[in-house]
Amino acid sequence: MKKKLFFLSIFMCHWSFGVAQTLEECQQAAERNYPLIRQMDLIRQTTDLSVENLRKGWLPQVSVSAQATLQSDVTAFPSQIQDVYRQMGIDMQGLRKDQYRVGIDVQQTVFDGGSIKSQKAIAREQGRVQSAEMEVNLYNVRRRVNEMFFSLLMIGEQIRLNRDLQELLSGNERKLSAMFKGGTAAESDYLSVKAERLNVAQQVTNLESQKRAIQAMLSTFCGIEVREVQKPAIAQTDNTNDRPELRLAEAREKALDAALMPRLGVFAQGFYGYPGLNMFDDMMHRKWSLNGLIGARLTWNIGVLYTRKNDKARLQLARQTAENSREVFLFNNRLEQIQQNESIDRYRRLMADDEEIIALRSQVRKAAESKLAHGIIDVNDLLREINAENAARVQQSMHEIELLKEIYNLKYTLNH
């Protein structure tokens, strides 16, 4: 049982290290791992809280108050009326100069002219503006992941082709070894091919070192262990630009219009204290009482007209500034698209001839192997043709990966 578990653990470990990450997985991991993404989440939470607070403006607004005052004078009857009350046997003490009140005030907005709605729109647009600013930095993160991902892919292809080249050289080395033993080839020919094979093997050492360095950087950047990467498919792109746009000025202009509208609300007040609403009774008895009133209130602040013209001019300038920044971005973005589209077309044209070049180089190399076996050429000519064929294969892989890189760079330039 222990032996089964041991082999199972080895298998699982090998499987986990052998899984190749896709470009999308690396991009998503990098965005989750990058500290800036936390700031975007904070922006979202702040926006949600601001909108929620504004929404609560429709809830009844309740305030509790308590006060005690000592007045220099109070409302009283004229002395003639007080004399009449005394003659009637009524003791009209009048209001006391010390007065007290503990109360509650409830106000409910019925119509606000769209003020709360426009304020919520402003809060949302401010959140989008801040998120768009963060998106620019995340765009740079995607570009850096692209660079490391495709560099790792390129080195992987070079290592694979290098090993294929070693196999080809080993085959010719074995043939020349047999020919040397049979007396049909010089020892120097055999040693030249062997030296070339060892030189190619040394190149793998350098490539493996570069691969480990890029793996470590990409793993640190993504926050996951990246051992191998998977070649992405050739994606289709269009020229539709989906970059975020600013609409904050429009929302603020609607808030200006809402500020001109009248406000309608209902209210209720209740308090316990002295004096109450029945002032005449309080003049006679001087006791605390419960009091209350309800009503409706219509307010219309026309003072906003004083600054409305300047406020609209400021919003127009803000809109023009935002539009100018957007045009600058789109202009630079279009230049980048032109360059990337031209690179994509160039690599497609180059790849159209790569297969034929490799086929021709392969035929020439095979012919050189046959000529060497018949003593028509020397080993240096064969090595030159082998290296030429390998260079053609490396060039094909480079063109393919560079094409993929430009396609995905264009994809992120367009924010697709």
Side-chain angles (χ1 to χ4, degrees), residues 192-375:
S192 294
V193 174
K194 184 177 181 179
E196 184 66 21
R197 178 181 60 80
L198 293 174
N199 180 57
V200 171
Q202 279 187 334
Q203 295 174 12
V204 172
T205 302
N206 291 329
L207 291 172
E208 290 284 1
S209 178
Q210 295 177 34
K211 181 179 179 181
R212 286 192 297 271
I214 297 176
Q215 282 175 337
M217 289 190 295
L218 186 57
S219 298
T220 302
F221 207 83
C222 296
I224 59 175
E225 187 175 12
V226 180
R227 299 293 296 255
E228 298 294 336
V229 292
Q230 179 179 331
K231 185 186 295 185
I234 297 180
Q236 297 296 323
T237 58
D238 54 41
N239 291 324
T240 304
N241 198 302
D242 295 329
R243 302 301 301 182
E245 298 179 6
L246 308 181
R247 294 180 293 271
L248 184 58
E250 286 79 0
R252 284 178 171 161
E253 189 167 9
K254 291 179 181 178
L256 284 181
D257 296 335
L260 278 177
M261 302 297 290
R263 268 73 168 165
L264 176 63
V266 295
F267 64 90
Q269 295 178 349
F271 69 91
Y272 179 65
Y274 171 85
L277 296 177
N278 190 345
M279 189 176 298
F280 292 112
D281 186 64
D282 292 332
M283 287 181 179
M284 297 178 62
H285 300 99
R286 290 187 173 182
K287 63 179 181 180
W288 287 44
S289 60
L290 287 171
N291 302 269
L293 61 89
I294 61 173
R297 182 182 293 116
L298 179 67
T299 58
W300 195 350
N301 180 19
I302 61 173
V304 294
L305 289 172
Y306 303 150
T307 59
R308 179 175 174 80
K309 182 178 179 181
N310 288 341
D311 289 339
K312 289 183 72 70
R314 287 175 56 199
L315 288 177
Q316 183 61 28
L317 290 174
R319 184 185 293 108
Q320 291 175 359
T321 301
E323 187 63 28
N324 181 259
S325 298
R326 177 176 177 272
E327 287 299 323
V328 169
F329 170 80
L330 291 177
F331 179 80
N332 293 330
N333 191 268
R334 280 193 292 270
L335 291 179
E336 194 170 3
Q337 289 179 46
I338 291 172
Q339 182 180 2
Q340 290 169 342
N341 280 317
E342 176 57 34
S343 295
I344 289 172
D345 291 340
R346 175 164 57 89
Y347 285 121
R348 288 187 188 277
R349 291 193 299 270
L350 290 172
M351 287 179 63
D353 298 327
D354 281 337
E355 286 292 343
E356 185 177 1
I357 292 173
I358 290 174
L360 293 174
R361 288 294 182 187
S362 180
Q363 290 179 11
V364 171
R365 186 261 304 166
K366 291 176 181 178
E369 290 175 340
S370 177
K371 289 179 181 179
L372 179 65
H374 292 84

Side-chain angles (χ1 to χ4, degrees), residues 100-115:
Y100 309 91
R101 174 179 293 197
V102 177
I104 185 171
D105 188 356
V106 181
Q107 299 187 44
Q108 172 64 60
T109 300
V110 177
F111 175 72
D112 71 343
S115 177

